[in-house]
Amino acid sequence: MNEITESPAELSDPLLPSPADAARSPTSSGVPWQVVSIMMAGTFMAILDSFIVIVAEPVIQADLGASGGQLQWTLAGYQLTYAVLLITGGRLGDLYGRRRVFVLGAAIFTLASVACALAGTANGLIAARLAQGLGAGVMVPQVFAVITALVPERGRHRVFGVLGMVMGLATVSGQLVGGLLIGADLFGSGWRPIFWINLPVGLAVILAAAVRVPETWGTRARRIDVPGVVLLTVASSLAIFPLIEGREAGWPRWTWACFAASAVLFGVFARVERRVGERGGDPLVRLSLFSRRPFSVGLVLVLVLYACITSYYLVLSVSLQDGLGMTALGAGLTYTPAAAMFFVFSMVAGRLVPRYGRRVLMTGAVVLAAGYASTAIVLLSGVRFAPGAVIPTLMLQSVGGGLVITPSLNAVLARIDPRDAGLASGVLSTAQQVGGALGVAIIGVVFFGSFHPSAGGAATAAAHALAMSSVFTCAAALVATVLVCLLPGGRRG
């Protein structure tokens, strides 16, 4: 398959199958699961490495003598380059072939993982993590784009359900996998296996993709919009960097100056892209994409949802480890029942959405809000804070998350012309990363502003801080419910 030229159709509900699907040939109706699985393995690696470092930081600090700032950059540096390059990475896939760019990104990611494992200094590890993020930023958008290009619309609900499950499990299992690998201390190597594990997986993904994944392209143009890339990279960096660093630094003036400069540069970027399009050129971002209501509303929905899930797992980890004194492995095991529920209801959503459309997302958003609210109620009721007290409410959150987070991916990419799949996928992935960074920045203020261990003991303080954070995420889930209502109206398929 060389290029997909399907044109999107405007329908009343982008989450339901289109009438055109009935006219597809039998050979085009199946889902190429082998190809999809190869691409998803790349996504799992990239997301896992966003979280696996969290549990390794104390060991890394002891081994490399890293300062607090250097330690933070082993996590923040990866997130920054990952987020900043996603749109450009998606566009490169449209221009030069998604399989080719995916393999390139996977190769960069794998080599950088080896460099991380071999790092002898904190600065060397940071540099390798920056390169790792670059590889992830190039690799991940191709996953969404290939699915959009190769999977018929009526099959995408199932595929995005599985993809959402994979992403959720990577998020939840990062600390568990990290704790297991560090605890095993293979060959006395301490923290380094958390990066070595990417070598065999990365090589397998590269080989399988090169052999099994068909090539697809977007636009036939063969020129990258260099001014657009520069403006977008700088504007994105100025927006994301203070979100990552701002809370730890106490939100000094430079963070607000960065936000202001970012807003100005995004305005300049939009103007430049509009002019390039008017002159018949090939802009990095076609602004007309945002005029599509399912895409624009769905994009904000994804941003809000990832602001909830990423930030909440971070403060939950702090509550369990700093508040209750649990090990990283123990904290990871606390997430396991919730991960199982997320897995199950992600699959359920894939079956229900083709029939009931956005009503599935609406139900999920309401249940998600109820899960956060129930956590706050339990923690504020005077019940002793322990894993058993919150596991049921975490499971309720995961039921809602499985029903709304996984279908939201399809809500964004529904009816996207496959020629724009790489660009749209890059924008979607950026929304996920920006949402996560924004959620962490806001919930960090809420959580650490409420976490005062000296007042009544670490466990009591952690319970109160987690309850306040649950109130914030409940409010964000209610906003997500409103956004689901703003998606084009549902109807039965």
Side-chain angles (χ1 to χ4, degrees), residues 51-420:
F51 295 91
I52 201 170
V53 173
I54 295 174
V55 297
E57 287 189 347
V59 186
I60 292 173
Q61 187 172 34
D63 185 33
L64 300 183
S67 66
Q70 289 174 321
L71 207 59
Q72 186 176 0
W73 268 99
T74 62
L75 178 63
Y78 177 83
Q79 293 174 323
L80 182 65
T81 52
Y82 182 4
V84 165
L85 287 168
L86 285 164
I87 292 178
T88 301
R91 194 69 174 127
L92 288 171
D94 283 344
L95 290 170
Y96 302 116
R98 290 150 187 162
R99 180 188 64 193
R100 183 179 302 157
V101 175
F102 176 84
V103 169
L104 173 64
I108 294 172
F109 183 91
T110 303
L111 289 173
S113 297
V114 172
C116 288
L118 294 174
T121 65
N123 287 334
L125 178 59
I126 292 169
R129 286 285 283 172
L130 290 169
Q132 229 189 355
L134 186 153
V138 172
M139 174 176 60
V140 170
Q142 317 314 322
V143 179
F144 295 95
V146 167
I147 290 173
T148 303
L150 297 184
V151 179
E153 285 180 21
R154 61 177 170 179
R156 287 182 204 157
H157 304 288
R158 294 169 59 203
V159 175
F160 281 121
V162 175
L163 178 60
M165 175 200 70
V166 168
M167 296 170 72
L169 288 178
T171 300
V172 172
S173 62
Q175 297 186 63
L176 177 59
V177 173
L180 288 171
L181 289 173
I182 293 169
D185 192 22
L186 301 172
F187 308 108
S189 54
W191 54 271
R192 298 178 190 274
I194 68 172
F195 296 113
W196 278 122
I197 195 173
N198 290 330
L199 178 59
V201 177
L203 290 175
V205 167
I206 291 168
L207 179 62
V211 173
R212 296 295 183 183
V213 177
E215 187 62 280
T216 62
W217 291 270
T219 176
R220 301 297 291 179
R222 284 292 179 264
R223 185 175 62 183
I224 194 73
D225 174 17
V226 176
V229 169
V230 172
L231 282 169
L232 182 63
T233 300
V234 176
S236 300
S237 299
L238 289 172
I240 296 169
F241 181 76
L243 286 176
I244 294 173
E245 291 286 308
R247 187 193 61 79
E248 288 287 339
W251 301 104
R253 291 180 181 177
W254 66 261
T255 59
W256 302 105
C258 285
F259 288 135
S262 173
V264 171
L265 285 178
F266 273 121
V268 174
F269 171 75
R271 188 171 182 178
V272 168
E273 296 302 278
R274 187 176 292 109
R275 285 185 175 180
V276 171
E278 289 172 350
R279 293 172 182 172
D282 189 37
L284 178 67
V285 176
R286 277 192 280 278
L287 300 180
S288 60
L289 194 65
F290 296 92
S291 66
R292 299 178 59 82
R293 184 173 162 190
F295 182 80
S296 57
V297 175
L299 203 64
V300 180
L301 173 62
V302 167
L303 188 148
V304 172
L305 290 172
Y306 276 81
C308 291
I309 187 172
T310 302
S311 60
Y312 198 78
Y313 278 122
L314 176 62
V315 298
L316 178 61
S317 176
V318 173
S319 299
L320 294 173
Q321 294 184 63
D322 292 355
L324 298 182
M326 297 178 67
T327 64
L329 179 57
L333 291 173
T334 302
Y335 306 147
T336 303
M341 297 304 288
F342 192 95
F343 177 94
V344 170
F345 280 86
S346 293
M347 301 302 291
V348 169
R351 294 182 177 275
L352 293 180
V353 167
R355 184 175 180 183
Y356 297 107
R358 73 172 184 182
R359 281 173 287 182
V360 178
L361 281 79
M362 202 174 303
T363 301
V366 171
V367 173
L368 182 65
Y372 290 129
S374 63
T375 304
I377 292 169
V378 167
L379 294 174
L380 294 174
S381 67
V383 174
R384 179 177 172 273
F385 181 33
V390 296
I391 284 176
T393 64
L394 295 176
M395 293 172 68
L396 184 61
Q397 292 171 20
S398 291
V399 170
L403 291 174
V404 67
I405 292 174
T406 52
S408 68
L409 304 177
N410 194 62
V412 175
L413 296 177
R415 307 299 184 262
I416 291 296
D417 191 321
R419 290 173 296 180
D420 291 326

